[in-house]
Amino acid sequence: FVRPFREIPGLWKNGVANLYNFWKMDGFKNLHYIMLQNFNTFGPIYREKIGYYDSVNIINPEDAAILFKAEGHYPKRLKVEPWNAYREYRNQKCGVLLKDGEDWRSNRVILNKEVISPKMLENFVPLLDEVGQDFVTRVHKKIQRGGQNKWTTDLSQELFKFALESVSSVLYGERLGLLQDYIDPEAQHFIDCITCMFKTTSPMLYIPPSLLRRIGSKVWKDHVDAWDGIFKHADRCIQNIYRQLRQDTGVVKKYPGVLASLLMLDKLSTEDIKASVTELMAGGVDTTSITLLWTLYELAKHPAIQEDLRAEIAAARAESQGDMLEMLKRIPLVKGALKETLRLHPVAVSLQRYTAEDIIIQNYHIPAGTLVQLGLYAMGRDPKVFPRPEQYQPSRWLKTQVHYFRSLGFGFGPRQCLGRRIAEAEMQLFLIHMLENFRVEKQRHVDVQSTFELILLPDKPILLTLKPL
Ligand code: HEM
Ligand code: 2DC
């Protein structure tokens, strides 16, 4: 006997009152903790209404499987209203991130071939490998200049530059030079705009941006300025390649980057290409850099695991004789470490889909068209899903265990993260080079939690010490 939708436990009757309580609990910064608390109170499924968002929340991998099987041909996520509102306000085209339906699908299919197809790794890896090497060179220089044979610092700004340099090298097939001594103020401004764009999104998630716009609120203005900065810089980079492509008469010698490939392919309109390339550039900075920062932090906390990874890397290096593509096939523990980081510190608190058909979860009927959220942060810390969840154990991702719908940091299916292959290769190559060159240590007694600024971020600066090996 299946129970009806309206019997799902939770607070969904008064969206406005719930929004008020959410605000009192500082929910805009603590969304992940509030979700944890709700699962503790209501069990593995609850319904919630905050402001105008009415959603069903789930936590079990088996239930996630049911959800994703019902996502339909045009999987649809929760709409981040302020992002769409900006595009409407400035008359900008949406890229694949914000498109839906057939428009999304037709763009995504073409982008997939150039961005997420495993075949492209051949092109991406040499570019990303060079950026990783340059990062190491930069750290060696910093250490030499300090004169103490070590460097203690909050690496986040350095990692932002690394991530922007990485994603740009793949998108544009050329280096921006962000790891040099001189940093282009335009690029620095772009980085700051992305941080600000994320930060100003979360307080607007539950309030209609049109309202905030009308009352001239500061958060909306800051949000618009941030996106303006992002579009302006991305546009400059795109124009640059566009111009080069028109001047270049000779035959192409090397891989020209994602943007030039898309332009030459001529299957998407220039406007569509620009919109998605801008999203890729903006989406490629804070995501990988914060994940790398968390990974270094965990490896500093667990020196023995750090040694295990280093040993695996050394063996892989010897076996692959300088072929980096080969090397990436021989580092399961490094890959496990990244999965482990995303389990404990996911970029996205939740994955969401509107169901395309009726389903049954936890014996409740859920009608088609319902917004269902998988609590990714909560799932990663659930002892029923991951034994001893508080422990950082890259080895739990080796072949011995069942991983059915447990590794979801990049989402799932045709709507999963478009930047996934770039992100994975970039992060793996970074860890290879860093662990081959430095030992990572941290100060004792500093426990870092997360704060929600649309993506999850460390709630305080993480200070790490890098020592040459
Ligand atoms: C979407 C995570 C890096 C671009 C997503 C989604 C997640 C995610 C969870 C939603 C997927 C879904 O709904 O199933 C991550 C993580 C990253 C990362 C954990 C790094 C550690 C990147 C990078 C780029 C990027 C480097 C760009 C190069 C995008 C885009 C989408 C997306 C464009 C929207 C795709 C669509 O709607 O079709 N990402 N991401 N991400 N990500 Fe990432
Ligand atoms: C935030 O309740 C919490 O990858 C909301 O690279 C639901 C929600 C919807 C969409 C998610 C978002 C959350 C977190 C950030 C994500 C986003 C989809 C894509 C985006 C996960 C979970 C991200 C960071 C993209 C961003 C690209 C953009 C800057 C151009």
Side-chain angles (χ1 to χ4, degrees):
F1 169 67
V2 178
R3 296 204 274 179
F5 186 59
R6 67 184 136 73
E7 283 181 18
I8 298 176
L11 294 170
W12 50 271
K13 295 219 164 115
N14 192 336
V16 177
N18 295 337
L19 178 59
Y20 177 70
N21 285 325
F22 185 76
W23 173 73
K24 270 204 315 199
M25 289 180 356
D26 235 347
F28 298 126
K29 284 186 207 135
N30 296 318
L31 186 60
H32 50 309
Y33 296 125
I34 291 177
M35 287 181 88
L36 262 184
Q37 202 186 342
N38 283 331
F39 284 116
N40 279 328
T41 312
F42 298 116
I45 184 165
Y46 69 88
R47 186 170 162 197
E48 157 183 79
K49 189 168 181 185
I50 301 178
Y52 48 70
Y53 286 120
D54 190 349
S55 70
V56 168
N57 291 263
I58 58 173
I59 188 172
N60 287 329
E62 291 70 22
D63 298 340
I66 299 173
L67 171 63
F68 286 117
K69 273 168 198 151
E71 68 177 5
H73 294 299
Y74 306 111
K76 200 170 159 234
R77 274 193 294 272
L78 187 152
K79 202 165 170 188
V80 179
E81 293 289 352
W83 296 355
N84 287 80
Y86 171 82
R87 277 138 186 97
E88 216 163 278
Y89 180 58
R90 286 287 192 236
N91 224 333
Q92 287 275 10
K93 228 172 168 183
C94 290
V96 83
L97 172 77
L98 302 175
K99 284 184 192 292
D100 274 312
E102 185 51 40
D103 190 25
W104 167 78
R105 206 199 58 87
S106 57
N107 276 253
R108 175 82 198 215
V109 165
I110 292 159
L111 288 166
N112 279 347
K113 291 205 195 87
E114 300 298 325
V115 184
I116 199 178
S117 141
K119 265 196 283 172
M120 282 299 145
L121 279 180
E122 250 169 76
N123 298 320
F124 298 167
V125 164
L127 291 163
L128 295 170
D129 187 41
E130 196 185 281
V131 183
Q133 285 180 28
D134 287 358
F135 190 83
V136 162
T137 306
R138 182 169 167 90
V139 174
H140 275 305
K141 261 196 210 156
K142 294 267 186 192
I143 293 173
Q144 264 159 24
R145 281 183 207 156
Q148 292 191 302
N149 206 35
K150 65 178 181 188
W151 186 33
T152 300
T153 185
D154 172 4
L155 269 181
S156 46
Q157 283 302 321
E158 292 297 325
L159 290 171
F160 288 156
K161 285 188 266 180
F162 163 78
L164 179 56
E165 183 76 21
S166 293
V167 75
S168 306
S169 76
V170 166
L171 292 176
Y172 307 123
E174 60 183 31
R175 297 290 300 271
L176 296 186
L178 300 180
L179 302 177
Q180 308 297 310
D181 284 332
Y182 167 82
I183 160 103
D184 173 14
E186 310 262 352
Q188 186 59 57
H189 182 65
F190 180 75
I191 289 172
D192 297 339
C193 283
I194 297 173
T195 307
C196 176
M197 179 277 291
F198 279 126
K199 198 187 173 74
T200 52
T201 304
S202 54
M204 292 195 286
L205 265 183
Y206 300 98
I207 307 162
S210 54
L211 178 77
L212 293 165
R213 195 171 115 190
R214 240 176 302 137
I215 63 173
S217 86
K218 175 161 162 43
V219 68
W220 167 255
K221 283 185 190 151
D222 290 348
H223 193 67
V224 168
D225 288 347
W227 275 122
D228 281 348
I230 292 169
F231 273 91
K232 197 172 146 212
H233 187 64
D235 214 55
R236 201 172 309 117
C237 295
I238 294 169
Q239 287 307 331
N240 193 25
I241 297 296
Y242 201 79
R243 220 176 307 119
Q244 281 181 30
L245 211 59
R246 286 205 310 210
Q247 287 166 357
D248 207 11
T249 43
V251 267
V252 196
K253 336 101 206 162
K254 61 173 182 35
Y255 176 65
V258 169
L259 172 62
S261 303
L262 287 168
L263 289 169
M264 291 188 294
L265 198 64
D266 201 25
K267 284 193 182 159
L268 290 176
S269 74
T270 314
E271 292 307 303
D272 274 336
I273 294 175
K274 273 163 81 176
S276 281
V277 168
T278 303
E279 287 171 358
L280 285 167
M281 198 180 173
V285 178
D286 296 35
T287 46
T288 50
S289 53
I290 293 301
T291 307
L292 286 172
L293 186 61
W294 280 120
T295 307
L296 294 178
Y297 169 76
E298 292 291 353
L299 294 177
K301 276 213 302 205
H302 302 91
I305 296 175
Q306 189 178 143
E307 280 311 318
D308 290 346
L309 297 197
R310 198 167 279 125
E312 182 188 73
I313 290 167
R317 172 77 73 190
E319 282 169 31
S320 53
Q321 300 173 327
D323 181 340
M324 292 316 281
L325 266 170
E326 278 303 312
M327 194 168 171
L328 294 185
K329 292 178 194 154
R330 293 181 163 84
I331 49 166
L333 207 57
V334 171
K335 292 176 184 172
L338 288 165
K339 286 187 183 167
E340 196 64 347
T341 302
L342 287 175
R343 174 179 72 80
L344 286 169
H345 315 285
V347 170
V349 257
S350 73
L351 303 175
Q352 330 80 37
R353 292 291 184 267
Y354 287 87
T355 50
E357 53 194 86
D358 287 24
I359 49 175
I360 296 164
I361 293 185
Q362 295 288 326
N363 211 32
Y364 289 101
H365 173 244
I366 296 171
T370 306
L371 175 61
V372 181
Q373 301 205 64
L374 169 70
L376 204 56
Y377 180 88
M379 183 181 93
R381 286 160 189 261
D382 184 347
K384 293 193 267 336
V385 181
F386 298 99
R388 294 182 156 268
E390 70 293 345
Q391 293 190 359
Y392 187 80
Q393 275 177 28
S395 61
R396 74 167 90 224
W397 296 100
L398 299 180
K399 279 188 217 80
T400 45
Q401 277 193 41
V402 195
H403 304 133
Y404 186 69
F405 280 90
R406 278 163 176 75
S407 172
L408 293 173
F410 290 98
F412 179 82
R415 187 108 217 197
Q416 69 179 282
C417 177
L418 177 60
R420 180 177 191 156
R421 295 283 170 262
I422 298 173
E424 285 173 342
E426 173 189 324
M427 296 193 296
Q428 291 158 13
L429 289 161
F430 176 92
L431 288 177
I432 287 175
H433 290 299
M434 285 300 280
L435 293 175
E436 280 181 330
N437 282 275
F438 309 104
R439 181 163 287 115
V440 190
E441 293 172 8
K442 71 179 269 291
Q443 301 157 301
R444 267 162 287 170
H445 314 307
V446 188
D447 200 32
V448 186
Q449 308 284 320
S450 321
T451 180
F452 173 77
E453 289 188 7
L454 199 82
I455 55 173
L456 288 175
L457 297 176
D459 69 346
K460 49 179 90 64
I462 295 179
L463 284 182
L464 296 171
T465 301
L466 301 173
K467 295 183 176 167
L469 284 168

